[in-house]
Amino acid sequence: MANLIRSAKSSSDWTLNELDSYNIHLERREALESFWSSDPAVDPELFQYLEADDMQQARNAELINLLDLAMLRSSGESAVDDFVVELLRHTGYVHRNRVACTRKDLPLLICGEWRHAKTDVCIVDRRQNDILLLVQEDKYLEDREPLDAHAQLVVEALAAFAESNAGRESFDLPPFESKASIPIPLTVSIMPGIVMAGTAPTFPKIPVTQELMNHVRYGMYPPTPTVVTYCFPPLPHPLRRRSDGMKPFNNRSQILSCYEAFKTVVGI
């Protein structure tokens, strides 16, 4: 893998080849029981009515309407982003100084050239001027694991890390060595992410270090491997994960439980 050609590419062009060329590996893990057994802090009405027209609360009807639109491939990628932003509000990820931003453009030096990583959705803590969570949509239509979307999420995590360090340097502060150094309550030294296949999420955890950043900057193969772990919500019909999404009650409950538990990873 050290002999693979490395070139300056924007995040939308990253694939598994780029991960291999930087010694970055994806490993699927089974979701721990503690990860999907949390009681979701959402309005119980979301588990009582399937359709938006049956909802009594207007904001719940708006969420389900956005869910339905996001499941229509003809609606375009913006429909998934709109759904994600509203869902993050419902689940408590967005609150006061934690804001959801779409299409945030992050510069990153790759192989000695400036390129751009454009997030689909991210959560920014304006008190810390730091990105807490990245969300990337799987824009491929085939029913498969969204591996290229994971690659795009990885480079976005690197760009978010670089953005945090650039902000520190502007205040004459030393750079972070890893995400664990950031003074927010992260429980592990990772950048949390979510990959959306329609309305069905995958939950990756991306280790980010200055060592990896330096090798990407100079286009070199890192001797230390980086392992990105990810897991799927434990749905009753996993083969219909994309087509069913968060629409059925069973899926809705499991997925929202995962969002609740993932807050501890994000640090909120």
Side-chain angles (χ1 to χ4, degrees), residues 43-81:
D43 193 319
E45 187 178 53
L46 291 172
F47 307 117
Q48 298 169 358
Y49 303 107
L50 198 64
E51 303 298 340
D53 287 345
D54 298 324
M55 298 288 178
Q56 301 300 310
Q57 299 297 322
R59 67 190 302 262
N60 294 336
E62 292 164 3
L63 176 66
I64 301 305
N65 272 313
L66 289 171
L67 186 156
D68 291 338
L69 287 172
M71 293 182 66
L72 296 174
R73 292 175 178 175
S74 59
S75 296
E77 65 183 74
S78 63
V80 173
D81 297 347

Side-chain angles (χ1 to χ4, degrees), residues 15 27 49 68 74 90 146 153 155 158 165 169 201 229 231 241-242 261:
T15 67
E27 287 189 5
Y49 303 107
D68 291 338
S74 59
H90 271 258
L153 191 68
V155 68
L158 297 178
N165 273 340
E169 290 170 3
T229 60
C231 66
R241 182 175 62 89
R242 179 192 286 270

Side-chain angles (χ1 to χ4, degrees), residues 15 30 76 86 96 99 107 113 115 129 138 151 158 176 199 202 209 212 237 246:
T15 67
E30 293 299 322
E86 188 64 24
R96 294 182 66 86
V99 296
E113 299 181 22
R115 291 294 182 265
N129 194 29
D138 173 28
L158 297 178
F176 295 126
T199 62
T202 307
T209 63
L212 177 59
H237 303 288
M246 214 181 83

Side-chain angles (χ1 to χ4, degrees), residues 135-189:
V135 182
Q136 174 65 36
E137 182 191 353
D138 173 28
K139 299 178 177 66
Y140 292 85
L141 300 181
E142 295 84 0
D143 290 324
R144 57 167 179 79
E145 292 187 12
L147 297 178
D148 283 342
H150 280 289
Q152 293 159 16
L153 191 68
V154 167
V155 68
E156 290 166 14
L158 297 178
F161 181 71
E163 181 89 344
S164 294
N165 273 340
R168 288 179 64 81
E169 290 170 3
S170 68
F171 290 101
D172 198 27
L173 296 172
F176 295 126
E177 289 301 319
S178 71
K179 213 33 191 162
S181 305
I182 296 177
I184 57 177
L186 288 174
T187 57
V188 289
S189 57

Side-chain angles (χ1 to χ4, degrees), residues 195-253:
V195 171
M196 297 296 295
T199 62
T202 307
F203 296 92
K205 297 187 290 187
I206 307 164
V208 181
T209 63
Q210 190 60 51
E211 178 189 6
L212 177 59
M213 291 288 303
N214 289 339
H215 282 83
V216 171
R217 172 178 296 181
Y218 298 113
M220 300 185 301
Y221 185 79
T224 305
T226 298
V227 179
V228 177
T229 60
Y230 66 97
C231 66
F232 295 108
L235 303 181
H237 303 288
L239 295 180
R240 302 206 305 261
R241 182 175 62 89
R242 179 192 286 270
S243 59
D244 287 350
M246 214 181 83
K247 186 67 173 182
F249 282 133
N250 287 340
N251 285 17
R252 194 176 297 181
S253 175

